[in-house]
Amino acid sequence: KAGVTQTPRYLIKTRGQQVTLSCSPISGHRSVSWYQQTPGQGLQFLFEYFSETQRNKGNFPGRFSGRQFSNSRSEMNVSTLELGDSALYLCASSPGEGGTEAFFGQGTRLTVV
Amino acid sequence: GEDVEQSLFLSVREGDSSVINCTYTDSSSTYLYWYKQEPGAGLQLLTYIFSNMDMKQDQRLTVLLNKKDKHLSLRIADTQTGDSAIYFCAERNDYKLSFGAGTTVTVRA
């Protein structure tokens, strides 16, 4: 059974640009959550999607957005990139909404220069 | 509150037991988790425990939960070099996971 797949693994972007990250959850899982990991702030919750709907959102500015498709794949978008957006972005897959088990992908390492 | 605290570093000799400690503040947490992160990798779910349990054992891993003191620990028996990593404690608050800062475990020969 394939795990959580995040693409791309690495990205380098310039300040002011926008970026889209992709996450394919484990087959059969319908909930996808996104987390940002930085050395200074640690792991912080961005948002959760279930059945193509954003169920919950963390304390991030509106530049951070996302969506979920009918096949449960999810994308997150960050517009007008800032240096502080440099981070490891992790996607977690759960069978249901707020599921007990959350399985993470390898993450996308975003560097903003 | 949603603060999860862990000690930052642990050094252990190969073959010994490791004990990583964590405290949390939200008494309504339903599940508590331990994740492992190796360099350049994502988070690997090691184990989790339901808040009404005291202990859970899974091969070399033993989780102890003291709900009264909001204290969680992870014991790794017979620690191996492959256990060197960052270990995160997390609590589930409704829809999200709140993580500690992580404990870096170094296994020395």
Side-chain angles (χ1 to χ4, degrees), chain A residues 24-88:
Chain A
S24 292
I26 293 169
S27 178
H29 285 196
R30 296 171 61 197
S31 173
V32 172
S33 297
W34 289 89
Y35 290 80
Q36 181 196 63
Q37 184 178 27
T38 59
Q41 299 298 316
L43 283 148
Q44 293 189 293
F45 171 78
L46 278 158
F47 21 65
E48 179 197 17
Y49 286 89
F50 179 78
S51 292
E52 302 177 63
T53 303
Q54 185 182 93
R55 299 296 191 171
N56 297 286
K57 191 177 194 314
N59 189 23
F60 280 83
R63 299 185 297 106
F64 291 80
S65 63
R67 58 179 175 168
Q68 187 180 35
F69 301 94
S70 58
N71 62 358
S72 294
R73 189 177 72 86
S74 177
E75 289 181 346
M76 68 163 278
N77 184 277
V78 188
S79 62
T80 320
L81 284 165
E82 300 176 0
L83 295 179
D85 297 332
S86 294
L88 180 66

Side-chain angles (χ1 to χ4, degrees), chain B residues 20-96:
Chain B
I20 308 168
N21 295 298
C22 167
T23 57
Y24 61 99
T25 57
D26 190 345
S27 57
S28 66
S29 295
T30 51
Y31 291 91
L32 296 127
Y33 303 79
W34 285 103
Y35 283 89
K36 175 183 179 183
Q37 186 175 38
E38 296 182 79
L43 299 177
Q44 176 192 352
L45 176 61
L46 290 176
T47 186
Y48 63 93
I49 188 167
F50 187 45
S51 58
N52 69 353
M53 296 171 64
D54 298 324
M55 185 183 87
K56 180 178 180 181
Q57 189 159 359
D58 185 0
Q59 299 183 343
R60 292 191 299 124
L61 305 178
T62 302
V63 178
L64 294 178
L65 174 61
N66 181 327
K67 196 171 180 181
K68 173 176 167 289
D69 295 337
K70 299 190 186 70
H71 182 267
L72 182 75
S73 67
L74 174 70
R75 177 177 178 269
I76 306 172
D78 187 25
T79 310
Q80 302 298 307
T81 55
D83 294 324
S84 291
I86 303 176
Y87 290 80
F88 291 92
C89 165
E91 60 177 348
R92 176 168 288 285
N93 312 110
D94 194 15
Y95 55 85
K96 68 175 183 178

Side-chain angles (χ1 to χ4, degrees), chain B residues 8-28:
Chain B
L8 293 182
F9 302 99
L10 176 67
S11 178
V12 61
R13 193 160 48 192
E14 190 175 8
D16 286 353
S17 292
S18 310
V19 179
I20 308 168
N21 295 298
C22 167
T23 57
Y24 61 99
T25 57
D26 190 345
S27 57
S28 66

Side-chain angles (χ1 to χ4, degrees), chain A residues 6-11 19-22 34 87-91 105-110:
Chain A
Q6 291 189 246
T7 57
R9 288 292 311 277
Y10 303 94
L11 266 178
V19 67
T20 299
L21 313 181
S22 178
W34 289 89
L88 180 66
Y89 289 88
L90 292 162
C91 162
Q106 293 285 77
T108 294
R109 171 75 62 188
L110 171 65

